[in-house]
Amino acid sequence: MNLAPLLTSGSLDDPEVLAAVAAAPEERLLPDVTVIKVGGQSLVDRGRAAVFPLLEEIVAATGDHRLLIGTGGGTRARHAYALAAGLGLPTGVLSDIGSSVAGQNAAMLGYLLAKHGIPVVEPHALASLPLHLAEVRAAVFAGMPPYDMWQRVPEAGVIPPYRTDAGCYLVAETYGCAGMIYVKDEDGLYTANPKNDPSAELVPEISVSDLLARDLPDLVVERGVLELMASARHVRHVQVVNGLRPGVLTRALAGEHVGTLITG
C-alpha cells in the first residue's frame, strides 16, 4: 500500500488518512520478548526479602525467555506526588518526578543484576534494546512513560494518568511483544481490595469492557492501561501475578493461567 500520496497531501487527522494508515500492515519488532513490570510498592519497597528471590527467578527465566523488566515508582513516588500536588505543581512536573523515582528503582535492580550482565536501558537509548536482548536476553528500564511535560492532563486532580503500569504496557505494545506480565503483591485482580476487605474475591479472567463496566474503586493496574488496551493491535491481554509467591512468575512465562488475565 502506497501511503505517500495521502500522507503528503492531506491532513494527518483526516479520516481517510487515518483509515488507510490503520489498514497498513504493522511489523512486530520484538515478537518473542515478554515485558515484566516489577511493582515498586509491591516488591521493591519490601526490600531484600521480596526482591532477591524474584530476581533469582527472573535470571533463571532468561534461559528460556527474553525479558524486558520495567520498574514502578512505589511509595516514594506517591510521597513525592503528594508533596508536589500540595505545592500546586502541574501534572507535567509530577510526571517528571515520577520518572526520576522509577529510574531510581531501575538503577537498583540494574546494580543487583549487574553480575549477570543485565543492563539498565535509559529512555533515550531504547534503540539499543535488541543488542542487549541478543547478548544477555534481558534488560531493565524505568516504567514511567517519557511524556514528561507532555503528560495528558487528567480530568480531575494533577496525578499523571499514565504512570509505570501504562509505560510498561506501551513498551510491550509498541514493540509488538509476546506478552505483558504485572508482578504485584496480590494473586491478581479482586472484587475489592483484599488488604482491607476479607470478602474480596479473586477474578481469574475478565475483559477490559467488563472490568470498566464494573467500575471497581480499586484496580490492580492503572486505569490508563485499560484505555490503552482498548485500541491495542498486538498485546491483547495482560496477566497479573503475585511476585511474593515463588515460581508463579515462571509459570506465567510458561503460558500457565495463574493470577488474573485481563483481555482486550
Side-chain angles (χ1 to χ4, degrees), residues 37 71-74 77-78 81 91 94-95 98-99 102 142-147 151 154 158-170 182 219 221-225 228:
K37 194 284 178 88
T71 55
R78 292 167 181 259
Y81 288 150
T91 297
L94 269 67
S95 186
S99 294
M144 195 75 175
Y147 292 152
Q151 175 81 242
V158 294
I159 303 298
Y162 295 124
R163 302 183 298 279
T164 53
D165 281 354
C168 290
Y169 178 79
L170 283 169
Y182 291 98
L219 294 176
V221 296
E222 297 164 12
R223 292 182 185 274
V225 174
L228 296 169

PDB file of all heavy atoms in Angstrom, residues 37 71-74 77-78 81 91 94-95 98-99 102 142-147 151 154 158-170 182 219 221-225 228:
ATOM      1  N   LYS A  37       6.618  -6.173  34.545  1.00  0.00           N
ATOM      2  CA  LYS A  37       6.609  -4.961  35.353  1.00  0.00           C
ATOM      3  C   LYS A  37       6.757  -5.355  36.828  1.00  0.00           C
ATOM      4  O   LYS A  37       5.899  -6.025  37.389  1.00  0.00           O
ATOM      5  CB  LYS A  37       5.313  -4.174  35.126  1.00  0.00           C
ATOM      6  CG  LYS A  37       5.343  -2.717  35.655  1.00  0.00           C
ATOM      7  CD  LYS A  37       5.194  -2.629  37.186  1.00  0.00           C
ATOM      8  CE  LYS A  37       5.265  -1.237  37.739  1.00  0.00           C
ATOM      9  NZ  LYS A  37       4.009  -0.541  37.780  1.00  0.00           N
ATOM     10  N   THR A  71      10.221  -1.068  35.862  1.00  0.00           N
ATOM     11  CA  THR A  71      10.092  -0.809  37.299  1.00  0.00           C
ATOM     12  C   THR A  71       9.044   0.252  37.580  1.00  0.00           C
ATOM     13  O   THR A  71       8.863   1.200  36.814  1.00  0.00           O
ATOM     14  CB  THR A  71      11.433  -0.329  37.893  1.00  0.00           C
ATOM     15  OG1 THR A  71      11.886   0.816  37.171  1.00  0.00           O
ATOM     16  CG2 THR A  71      12.478  -1.422  37.812  1.00  0.00           C
ATOM     17  N   GLY A  72       8.381   0.077  38.736  1.00  0.00           N
ATOM     18  CA  GLY A  72       7.437   1.075  39.218  1.00  0.00           C
ATOM     19  C   GLY A  72       8.118   2.079  40.130  1.00  0.00           C
ATOM     20  O   GLY A  72       9.309   1.980  40.432  1.00  0.00           O
ATOM     21  N   GLY A  73       7.338   3.044  40.585  1.00  0.00           N
ATOM     22  CA  GLY A  73       7.874   4.086  41.466  1.00  0.00           C
ATOM     23  C   GLY A  73       7.672   3.771  42.935  1.00  0.00           C
ATOM     24  O   GLY A  73       8.519   4.084  43.772  1.00  0.00           O
ATOM     25  N   GLY A  74       6.536   3.177  43.272  1.00  0.00           N
ATOM     26  CA  GLY A  74       6.293   2.769  44.642  1.00  0.00           C
ATOM     27  C   GLY A  74       5.942   3.904  45.588  1.00  0.00           C
ATOM     28  O   GLY A  74       5.500   4.985  45.176  1.00  0.00           O
ATOM     29  N   ALA A  77       7.358   7.493  45.128  1.00  0.00           N
ATOM     30  CA  ALA A  77       6.692   8.286  44.094  1.00  0.00           C
ATOM     31  C   ALA A  77       5.387   8.870  44.631  1.00  0.00           C
ATOM     32  O   ALA A  77       5.072  10.046  44.379  1.00  0.00           O
ATOM     33  CB  ALA A  77       6.424   7.432  42.860  1.00  0.00           C
ATOM     34  N   ARG A  78       4.641   8.068  45.380  1.00  0.00           N
ATOM     35  CA  ARG A  78       3.377   8.553  45.944  1.00  0.00           C
ATOM     36  C   ARG A  78       3.634   9.708  46.915  1.00  0.00           C
ATOM     37  O   ARG A  78       2.890  10.700  46.937  1.00  0.00           O
ATOM     38  CB  ARG A  78       2.649   7.415  46.660  1.00  0.00           C
ATOM     39  CG  ARG A  78       2.142   6.335  45.718  1.00  0.00           C
ATOM     40  CD  ARG A  78       1.711   5.083  46.465  1.00  0.00           C
ATOM     41  NE  ARG A  78       1.243   4.049  45.559  1.00  0.00           N
ATOM     42  CZ  ARG A  78      -0.032   3.773  45.332  1.00  0.00           C
ATOM     43  NH1 ARG A  78      -0.976   4.462  45.948  1.00  0.00           N
ATOM     44  NH2 ARG A  78      -0.381   2.821  44.492  1.00  0.00           N
ATOM     45  N   TYR A  81       4.480  12.722  44.825  1.00  0.00           N
ATOM     46  CA  TYR A  81       3.273  13.269  44.208  1.00  0.00           C
ATOM     47  C   TYR A  81       2.488  14.103  45.219  1.00  0.00           C
ATOM     48  O   TYR A  81       1.966  15.183  44.892  1.00  0.00           O
ATOM     49  CB  TYR A  81       2.370  12.143  43.685  1.00  0.00           C
ATOM     50  CG  TYR A  81       2.874  11.423  42.461  1.00  0.00           C
ATOM     51  CD1 TYR A  81       2.553  10.084  42.240  1.00  0.00           C
ATOM     52  CD2 TYR A  81       3.653  12.074  41.502  1.00  0.00           C
ATOM     53  CE1 TYR A  81       2.993   9.413  41.112  1.00  0.00           C
ATOM     54  CE2 TYR A  81       4.103  11.410  40.377  1.00  0.00           C
ATOM     55  CZ  TYR A  81       3.774  10.079  40.186  1.00  0.00           C
ATOM     56  OH  TYR A  81       4.208   9.416  39.068  1.00  0.00           O
ATOM     57  N   THR A  91       0.597  18.704  36.380  1.00  0.00           N
ATOM     58  CA  THR A  91       0.731  17.288  36.037  1.00  0.00           C
ATOM     59  C   THR A  91       2.068  16.981  35.377  1.00  0.00           C
ATOM     60  O   THR A  91       2.701  15.963  35.681  1.00  0.00           O
ATOM     61  CB  THR A  91      -0.419  16.868  35.101  1.00  0.00           C
ATOM     62  OG1 THR A  91      -1.655  17.009  35.800  1.00  0.00           O
ATOM     63  CG2 THR A  91      -0.253  15.428  34.648  1.00  0.00           C
ATOM     64  N   LEU A  94       4.766  16.618  37.919  1.00  0.00           N
ATOM     65  CA  LEU A  94       4.615  15.361  38.648  1.00  0.00           C
ATOM     66  C   LEU A  94       5.071  14.176  37.806  1.00  0.00           C
ATOM     67  O   LEU A  94       5.625  13.201  38.325  1.00  0.00           O
ATOM     68  CB  LEU A  94       3.163  15.172  39.084  1.00  0.00           C
ATOM     69  CG  LEU A  94       2.795  15.724  40.475  1.00  0.00           C
ATOM     70  CD1 LEU A  94       2.871  17.240  40.492  1.00  0.00           C
ATOM     71  CD2 LEU A  94       1.413  15.253  40.908  1.00  0.00           C
ATOM     72  N   SER A  95       4.852  14.250  36.511  1.00  0.00           N
ATOM     73  CA  SER A  95       5.299  13.183  35.624  1.00  0.00           C
ATOM     74  C   SER A  95       6.819  13.081  35.632  1.00  0.00           C
ATOM     75  O   SER A  95       7.388  11.983  35.670  1.00  0.00           O
ATOM     76  CB  SER A  95       4.796  13.446  34.202  1.00  0.00           C
ATOM     77  OG  SER A  95       5.099  12.367  33.341  1.00  0.00           O
ATOM     78  N   GLY A  98       7.823  11.484  38.940  1.00  0.00           N
ATOM     79  CA  GLY A  98       7.576  10.051  38.919  1.00  0.00           C
ATOM     80  C   GLY A  98       8.611   9.296  38.104  1.00  0.00           C
ATOM     81  O   GLY A  98       9.025   8.182  38.467  1.00  0.00           O
ATOM     82  N   SER A  99       9.054   9.896  37.003  1.00  0.00           N
ATOM     83  CA  SER A  99      10.080   9.267  36.162  1.00  0.00           C
ATOM     84  C   SER A  99      11.380   9.093  36.925  1.00  0.00           C
ATOM     85  O   SER A  99      12.053   8.058  36.816  1.00  0.00           O
ATOM     86  CB  SER A  99      10.321  10.106  34.905  1.00  0.00           C
ATOM     87  OG  SER A  99       9.182  10.129  34.079  1.00  0.00           O
ATOM     88  N   ALA A 102      11.007   6.119  39.467  1.00  0.00           N
ATOM     89  CA  ALA A 102      11.036   4.832  38.761  1.00  0.00           C
ATOM     90  C   ALA A 102      12.443   4.540  38.257  1.00  0.00           C
ATOM     91  O   ALA A 102      12.887   3.382  38.244  1.00  0.00           O
ATOM     92  CB  ALA A 102      10.041   4.837  37.610  1.00  0.00           C
ATOM     93  N   ALA A 142      13.116   1.919  33.260  1.00  0.00           N
ATOM     94  CA  ALA A 142      12.186   2.606  34.159  1.00  0.00           C
ATOM     95  C   ALA A 142      10.810   2.635  33.508  1.00  0.00           C
ATOM     96  O   ALA A 142      10.667   3.034  32.355  1.00  0.00           O
ATOM     97  CB  ALA A 142      12.684   4.021  34.443  1.00  0.00           C
ATOM     98  N   GLY A 143       9.787   2.235  34.263  1.00  0.00           N
ATOM     99  CA  GLY A 143       8.474   2.042  33.668  1.00  0.00           C
ATOM    100  C   GLY A 143       7.705   3.301  33.309  1.00  0.00           C
ATOM    101  O   GLY A 143       6.771   3.244  32.522  1.00  0.00           O
ATOM    102  N   MET A 144       8.063   4.438  33.866  1.00  0.00           N
ATOM    103  CA  MET A 144       7.302   5.656  33.603  1.00  0.00           C
ATOM    104  C   MET A 144       7.417   6.060  32.135  1.00  0.00           C
ATOM    105  O   MET A 144       8.528   6.155  31.598  1.00  0.00           O
ATOM    106  CB  MET A 144       7.825   6.793  34.490  1.00  0.00           C
ATOM    107  CG  MET A 144       6.908   7.987  34.586  1.00  0.00           C
ATOM    108  SD  MET A 144       5.496   7.632  35.657  1.00  0.00           S
ATOM    109  CE  MET A 144       4.711   9.262  35.679  1.00  0.00           C
ATOM    110  N   PRO A 145       6.301   6.292  31.441  1.00  0.00           N
ATOM    111  CA  PRO A 145       6.408   6.715  30.043  1.00  0.00           C
ATOM    112  C   PRO A 145       7.055   8.093  29.965  1.00  0.00           C
ATOM    113  O   PRO A 145       6.822   8.945  30.826  1.00  0.00           O
ATOM    114  CB  PRO A 145       4.947   6.764  29.573  1.00  0.00           C
ATOM    115  CG  PRO A 145       4.145   6.918  30.823  1.00  0.00           C
ATOM    116  CD  PRO A 145       4.909   6.217  31.898  1.00  0.00           C
ATOM    117  N   PRO A 146       7.892   8.326  28.967  1.00  0.00           N
ATOM    118  CA  PRO A 146       8.661   9.578  28.904  1.00  0.00           C
ATOM    119  C   PRO A 146       7.856  10.763  28.377  1.00  0.00           C
ATOM    120  O   PRO A 146       8.311  11.502  27.514  1.00  0.00           O
ATOM    121  CB  PRO A 146       9.817   9.218  27.968  1.00  0.00           C
ATOM    122  CG  PRO A 146       9.236   8.194  27.047  1.00  0.00           C
ATOM    123  CD  PRO A 146       8.264   7.391  27.883  1.00  0.00           C
ATOM    124  N   TYR A 147       6.639  10.938  28.901  1.00  0.00           N
ATOM    125  CA  TYR A 147       5.821  12.066  28.469  1.00  0.00           C
ATOM    126  C   TYR A 147       6.325  13.377  29.069  1.00  0.00           C
ATOM    127  O   TYR A 147       6.216  14.432  28.455  1.00  0.00           O
ATOM    128  CB  TYR A 147       4.358  11.863  28.891  1.00  0.00           C
ATOM    129  CG  TYR A 147       3.645  10.740  28.178  1.00  0.00           C
ATOM    130  CD1 TYR A 147       2.602  10.059  28.786  1.00  0.00           C
ATOM    131  CD2 TYR A 147       4.004  10.355  26.897  1.00  0.00           C
ATOM    132  CE1 TYR A 147       1.932   9.035  28.146  1.00  0.00           C
ATOM    133  CE2 TYR A 147       3.346   9.337  26.246  1.00  0.00           C
ATOM    134  CZ  TYR A 147       2.310   8.673  26.875  1.00  0.00           C
ATOM    135  OH  TYR A 147       1.653   7.659  26.239  1.00  0.00           O
ATOM    136  N   GLN A 151       2.677  15.064  29.425  1.00  0.00           N
ATOM    137  CA  GLN A 151       1.718  14.135  30.007  1.00  0.00           C
ATOM    138  C   GLN A 151       0.298  14.700  29.863  1.00  0.00           C
ATOM    139  O   GLN A 151       0.056  15.891  30.067  1.00  0.00           O
ATOM    140  CB  GLN A 151       2.023  13.922  31.490  1.00  0.00           C
ATOM    141  CG  GLN A 151       1.046  13.079  32.252  1.00  0.00           C
ATOM    142  CD  GLN A 151       1.247  11.585  32.087  1.00  0.00           C
ATOM    143  OE1 GLN A 151       0.347  10.906  31.585  1.00  0.00           O
ATOM    144  NE2 GLN A 151       2.389  11.074  32.506  1.00  0.00           N
ATOM    145  N   PRO A 154      -5.158  15.146  33.503  1.00  0.00           N
ATOM    146  CA  PRO A 154      -6.326  14.342  33.888  1.00  0.00           C
ATOM    147  C   PRO A 154      -7.571  15.198  34.062  1.00  0.00           C
ATOM    148  O   PRO A 154      -7.487  16.427  34.214  1.00  0.00           O
ATOM    149  CB  PRO A 154      -5.893  13.719  35.222  1.00  0.00           C
ATOM    150  CG  PRO A 154      -4.923  14.690  35.784  1.00  0.00           C
ATOM    151  CD  PRO A 154      -4.187  15.273  34.609  1.00  0.00           C
ATOM    152  N   VAL A 158      -4.184  16.338  39.651  1.00  0.00           N
ATOM    153  CA  VAL A 158      -2.967  16.550  38.862  1.00  0.00           C
ATOM    154  C   VAL A 158      -2.094  15.292  38.790  1.00  0.00           C
ATOM    155  O   VAL A 158      -1.017  15.336  38.192  1.00  0.00           O
ATOM    156  CB  VAL A 158      -2.132  17.715  39.440  1.00  0.00           C
ATOM    157  CG1 VAL A 158      -2.858  19.047  39.293  1.00  0.00           C
ATOM    158  CG2 VAL A 158      -1.752  17.458  40.898  1.00  0.00           C
ATOM    159  N   ILE A 159      -2.526  14.173  39.357  1.00  0.00           N
ATOM    160  CA  ILE A 159      -1.737  12.955  39.299  1.00  0.00           C
ATOM    161  C   ILE A 159      -1.662  12.475  37.849  1.00  0.00           C
ATOM    162  O   ILE A 159      -2.693  12.366  37.169  1.00  0.00           O
ATOM    163  CB  ILE A 159      -2.351  11.842  40.177  1.00  0.00           C
ATOM    164  CG1 ILE A 159      -2.489  12.315  41.624  1.00  0.00           C
ATOM    165  CG2 ILE A 159      -1.516  10.573  40.104  1.00  0.00           C
ATOM    166  CD1 ILE A 159      -1.188  12.652  42.294  1.00  0.00           C
ATOM    167  N   PRO A 160      -0.471  12.180  37.321  1.00  0.00           N
ATOM    168  CA  PRO A 160      -0.357  11.736  35.926  1.00  0.00           C
ATOM    169  C   PRO A 160      -1.227  10.496  35.667  1.00  0.00           C
ATOM    170  O   PRO A 160      -1.133   9.503  36.402  1.00  0.00           O
ATOM    171  CB  PRO A 160       1.138  11.385  35.795  1.00  0.00           C
ATOM    172  CG  PRO A 160       1.818  12.200  36.841  1.00  0.00           C
ATOM    173  CD  PRO A 160       0.849  12.274  37.981  1.00  0.00           C
ATOM    174  N   PRO A 161      -2.072  10.525  34.664  1.00  0.00           N
ATOM    175  CA  PRO A 161      -2.953   9.380  34.399  1.00  0.00           C
ATOM    176  C   PRO A 161      -2.211   8.179  33.824  1.00  0.00           C
ATOM    177  O   PRO A 161      -2.661   7.048  33.969  1.00  0.00           O
ATOM    178  CB  PRO A 161      -3.968   9.935  33.398  1.00  0.00           C
ATOM    179  CG  PRO A 161      -3.252  11.050  32.721  1.00  0.00           C
ATOM    180  CD  PRO A 161      -2.344  11.642  33.744  1.00  0.00           C
ATOM    181  N   TYR A 162      -1.093   8.426  33.140  1.00  0.00           N
ATOM    182  CA  TYR A 162      -0.286   7.336  32.595  1.00  0.00           C
ATOM    183  C   TYR A 162       1.011   7.261  33.389  1.00  0.00           C
ATOM    184  O   TYR A 162       1.895   8.094  33.239  1.00  0.00           O
ATOM    185  CB  TYR A 162      -0.001   7.557  31.108  1.00  0.00           C
ATOM    186  CG  TYR A 162      -1.246   7.519  30.255  1.00  0.00           C
ATOM    187  CD1 TYR A 162      -1.580   8.593  29.438  1.00  0.00           C
ATOM    188  CD2 TYR A 162      -2.090   6.414  30.269  1.00  0.00           C
ATOM    189  CE1 TYR A 162      -2.722   8.557  28.656  1.00  0.00           C
ATOM    190  CE2 TYR A 162      -3.238   6.380  29.489  1.00  0.00           C
ATOM    191  CZ  TYR A 162      -3.547   7.453  28.682  1.00  0.00           C
ATOM    192  OH  TYR A 162      -4.682   7.421  27.925  1.00  0.00           O
ATOM    193  N   ARG A 163       1.103   6.210  34.236  1.00  0.00           N
ATOM    194  CA  ARG A 163       2.288   6.061  35.082  1.00  0.00           C
ATOM    195  C   ARG A 163       3.024   4.772  34.693  1.00  0.00           C
ATOM    196  O   ARG A 163       3.070   4.428  33.523  1.00  0.00           O
ATOM    197  CB  ARG A 163       1.861   6.103  36.547  1.00  0.00           C
ATOM    198  CG  ARG A 163       1.134   7.407  36.912  1.00  0.00           C
ATOM    199  CD  ARG A 163       0.774   7.501  38.387  1.00  0.00           C
ATOM    200  NE  ARG A 163      -0.130   6.460  38.818  1.00  0.00           N
ATOM    201  CZ  ARG A 163      -1.462   6.482  38.628  1.00  0.00           C
ATOM    202  NH1 ARG A 163      -2.040   7.499  37.995  1.00  0.00           N
ATOM    203  NH2 ARG A 163      -2.220   5.484  39.056  1.00  0.00           N
ATOM    204  N   THR A 164       3.600   4.088  35.645  1.00  0.00           N
ATOM    205  CA  THR A 164       4.507   2.997  35.279  1.00  0.00           C
ATOM    206  C   THR A 164       3.797   1.761  34.726  1.00  0.00           C
ATOM    207  O   THR A 164       4.345   1.065  33.874  1.00  0.00           O
ATOM    208  CB  THR A 164       5.383   2.617  36.480  1.00  0.00           C
ATOM    209  OG1 THR A 164       4.552   2.337  37.615  1.00  0.00           O
ATOM    210  CG2 THR A 164       6.330   3.758  36.838  1.00  0.00           C
ATOM    211  N   ASP A 165       2.590   1.446  35.200  1.00  0.00           N
ATOM    212  CA  ASP A 165       1.849   0.330  34.595  1.00  0.00           C
ATOM    213  C   ASP A 165       1.599   0.613  33.118  1.00  0.00           C
ATOM    214  O   ASP A 165       1.776  -0.259  32.260  1.00  0.00           O
ATOM    215  CB  ASP A 165       0.506   0.129  35.306  1.00  0.00           C
ATOM    216  CG  ASP A 165       0.647  -0.620  36.629  1.00  0.00           C
ATOM    217  OD1 ASP A 165       1.753  -1.085  36.948  1.00  0.00           O
ATOM    218  OD2 ASP A 165      -0.365  -0.717  37.358  1.00  0.00           O
ATOM    219  N   ALA A 166       1.163   1.837  32.835  1.00  0.00           N
ATOM    220  CA  ALA A 166       0.879   2.222  31.448  1.00  0.00           C
ATOM    221  C   ALA A 166       2.161   2.271  30.624  1.00  0.00           C
ATOM    222  O   ALA A 166       2.182   1.843  29.458  1.00  0.00           O
ATOM    223  CB  ALA A 166       0.171   3.569  31.409  1.00  0.00           C
ATOM    224  N   GLY A 167       3.248   2.792  31.227  1.00  0.00           N
ATOM    225  CA  GLY A 167       4.506   2.889  30.495  1.00  0.00           C
ATOM    226  C   GLY A 167       5.028   1.527  30.075  1.00  0.00           C
ATOM    227  O   GLY A 167       5.485   1.342  28.934  1.00  0.00           O
ATOM    228  N   CYS A 168       4.961   0.556  30.981  1.00  0.00           N
ATOM    229  CA  CYS A 168       5.411  -0.799  30.644  1.00  0.00           C
ATOM    230  C   CYS A 168       4.526  -1.416  29.562  1.00  0.00           C
ATOM    231  O   CYS A 168       5.019  -2.082  28.638  1.00  0.00           O
ATOM    232  CB  CYS A 168       5.427  -1.670  31.897  1.00  0.00           C
ATOM    233  SG  CYS A 168       6.718  -1.236  33.087  1.00  0.00           S
ATOM    234  N   TYR A 169       3.221  -1.173  29.665  1.00  0.00           N
ATOM    235  CA  TYR A 169       2.324  -1.710  28.642  1.00  0.00           C
ATOM    236  C   TYR A 169       2.629  -1.087  27.274  1.00  0.00           C
ATOM    237  O   TYR A 169       2.616  -1.782  26.243  1.00  0.00           O
ATOM    238  CB  TYR A 169       0.864  -1.461  29.009  1.00  0.00           C
ATOM    239  CG  TYR A 169      -0.069  -1.972  27.940  1.00  0.00           C
ATOM    240  CD1 TYR A 169      -0.374  -3.320  27.853  1.00  0.00           C
ATOM    241  CD2 TYR A 169      -0.583  -1.110  26.971  1.00  0.00           C
ATOM    242  CE1 TYR A 169      -1.181  -3.806  26.845  1.00  0.00           C
ATOM    243  CE2 TYR A 169      -1.393  -1.584  25.963  1.00  0.00           C
ATOM    244  CZ  TYR A 169      -1.694  -2.929  25.897  1.00  0.00           C
ATOM    245  OH  TYR A 169      -2.488  -3.404  24.879  1.00  0.00           O
ATOM    246  N   LEU A 170       2.906   0.201  27.248  1.00  0.00           N
ATOM    247  CA  LEU A 170       3.210   0.863  25.981  1.00  0.00           C
ATOM    248  C   LEU A 170       4.470   0.296  25.333  1.00  0.00           C
ATOM    249  O   LEU A 170       4.547   0.171  24.112  1.00  0.00           O
ATOM    250  CB  LEU A 170       3.374   2.372  26.204  1.00  0.00           C
ATOM    251  CG  LEU A 170       2.065   3.156  26.372  1.00  0.00           C
ATOM    252  CD1 LEU A 170       2.357   4.573  26.855  1.00  0.00           C
ATOM    253  CD2 LEU A 170       1.297   3.192  25.063  1.00  0.00           C
ATOM    254  N   TYR A 182       2.288  -8.247  34.907  1.00  0.00           N
ATOM    255  CA  TYR A 182       2.450  -7.340  36.044  1.00  0.00           C
ATOM    256  C   TYR A 182       2.716  -8.167  37.296  1.00  0.00           C
ATOM    257  O   TYR A 182       1.897  -9.003  37.683  1.00  0.00           O
ATOM    258  CB  TYR A 182       1.193  -6.488  36.228  1.00  0.00           C
ATOM    259  CG  TYR A 182       0.995  -5.479  35.126  1.00  0.00           C
ATOM    260  CD1 TYR A 182       0.129  -5.745  34.065  1.00  0.00           C
ATOM    261  CD2 TYR A 182       1.690  -4.279  35.128  1.00  0.00           C
ATOM    262  CE1 TYR A 182      -0.037  -4.833  33.034  1.00  0.00           C
ATOM    263  CE2 TYR A 182       1.537  -3.357  34.103  1.00  0.00           C
ATOM    264  CZ  TYR A 182       0.674  -3.639  33.061  1.00  0.00           C
ATOM    265  OH  TYR A 182       0.523  -2.734  32.035  1.00  0.00           O
ATOM    266  N   LEU A 219      -8.370  -0.917  41.500  1.00  0.00           N
ATOM    267  CA  LEU A 219      -7.917  -1.832  40.466  1.00  0.00           C
ATOM    268  C   LEU A 219      -6.468  -2.238  40.732  1.00  0.00           C
ATOM    269  O   LEU A 219      -5.698  -1.483  41.330  1.00  0.00           O
ATOM    270  CB  LEU A 219      -8.007  -1.170  39.090  1.00  0.00           C
ATOM    271  CG  LEU A 219      -9.404  -0.838  38.578  1.00  0.00           C
ATOM    272  CD1 LEU A 219      -9.313  -0.093  37.252  1.00  0.00           C
ATOM    273  CD2 LEU A 219     -10.232  -2.104  38.417  1.00  0.00           C
ATOM    274  N   VAL A 221      -4.270  -2.717  38.379  1.00  0.00           N
ATOM    275  CA  VAL A 221      -3.451  -1.984  37.417  1.00  0.00           C
ATOM    276  C   VAL A 221      -4.079  -0.610  37.190  1.00  0.00           C
ATOM    277  O   VAL A 221      -5.253  -0.392  37.480  1.00  0.00           O
ATOM    278  CB  VAL A 221      -3.320  -2.728  36.065  1.00  0.00           C
ATOM    279  CG1 VAL A 221      -2.587  -4.044  36.241  1.00  0.00           C
ATOM    280  CG2 VAL A 221      -4.679  -2.949  35.420  1.00  0.00           C
ATOM    281  N   GLU A 222      -3.276   0.298  36.648  1.00  0.00           N
ATOM    282  CA  GLU A 222      -3.775   1.649  36.386  1.00  0.00           C
ATOM    283  C   GLU A 222      -4.907   1.614  35.360  1.00  0.00           C
ATOM    284  O   GLU A 222      -4.883   0.831  34.408  1.00  0.00           O
ATOM    285  CB  GLU A 222      -2.648   2.528  35.845  1.00  0.00           C
ATOM    286  CG  GLU A 222      -1.503   2.749  36.804  1.00  0.00           C
ATOM    287  CD  GLU A 222      -0.266   3.276  36.097  1.00  0.00           C
ATOM    288  OE1 GLU A 222      -0.366   3.680  34.924  1.00  0.00           O
ATOM    289  OE2 GLU A 222       0.803   3.251  36.720  1.00  0.00           O
ATOM    290  N   ARG A 223      -5.889   2.480  35.544  1.00  0.00           N
ATOM    291  CA  ARG A 223      -6.991   2.569  34.583  1.00  0.00           C
ATOM    292  C   ARG A 223      -6.493   2.953  33.194  1.00  0.00           C
ATOM    293  O   ARG A 223      -7.104   2.584  32.183  1.00  0.00           O
ATOM    294  CB  ARG A 223      -8.024   3.594  35.069  1.00  0.00           C
ATOM    295  CG  ARG A 223      -8.756   3.152  36.323  1.00  0.00           C
ATOM    296  CD  ARG A 223      -9.808   4.150  36.760  1.00  0.00           C
ATOM    297  NE  ARG A 223     -10.400   3.733  38.032  1.00  0.00           N
ATOM    298  CZ  ARG A 223     -11.423   2.890  38.136  1.00  0.00           C
ATOM    299  NH1 ARG A 223     -11.979   2.415  37.040  1.00  0.00           N
ATOM    300  NH2 ARG A 223     -11.894   2.540  39.319  1.00  0.00           N
ATOM    301  N   GLY A 224      -5.388   3.685  33.145  1.00  0.00           N
ATOM    302  CA  GLY A 224      -4.824   4.052  31.852  1.00  0.00           C
ATOM    303  C   GLY A 224      -4.457   2.845  31.007  1.00  0.00           C
ATOM    304  O   GLY A 224      -4.535   2.886  29.768  1.00  0.00           O
ATOM    305  N   VAL A 225      -4.065   1.751  31.649  1.00  0.00           N
ATOM    306  CA  VAL A 225      -3.747   0.525  30.910  1.00  0.00           C
ATOM    307  C   VAL A 225      -4.975   0.008  30.184  1.00  0.00           C
ATOM    308  O   VAL A 225      -4.901  -0.420  29.025  1.00  0.00           O
ATOM    309  CB  VAL A 225      -3.203  -0.555  31.869  1.00  0.00           C
ATOM    310  CG1 VAL A 225      -3.020  -1.882  31.132  1.00  0.00           C
ATOM    311  CG2 VAL A 225      -1.881  -0.112  32.481  1.00  0.00           C
ATOM    312  N   LEU A 228      -5.599   1.990  27.086  1.00  0.00           N
ATOM    313  CA  LEU A 228      -4.650   1.654  26.025  1.00  0.00           C
ATOM    314  C   LEU A 228      -4.984   0.302  25.395  1.00  0.00           C
ATOM    315  O   LEU A 228      -4.874   0.123  24.181  1.00  0.00           O
ATOM    316  CB  LEU A 228      -3.229   1.642  26.582  1.00  0.00           C
ATOM    317  CG  LEU A 228      -2.701   2.992  27.086  1.00  0.00           C
ATOM    318  CD1 LEU A 228      -1.404   2.802  27.856  1.00  0.00           C
ATOM    319  CD2 LEU A 228      -2.497   3.960  25.930  1.00  0.00           C
TER     320      LEU A 228
END
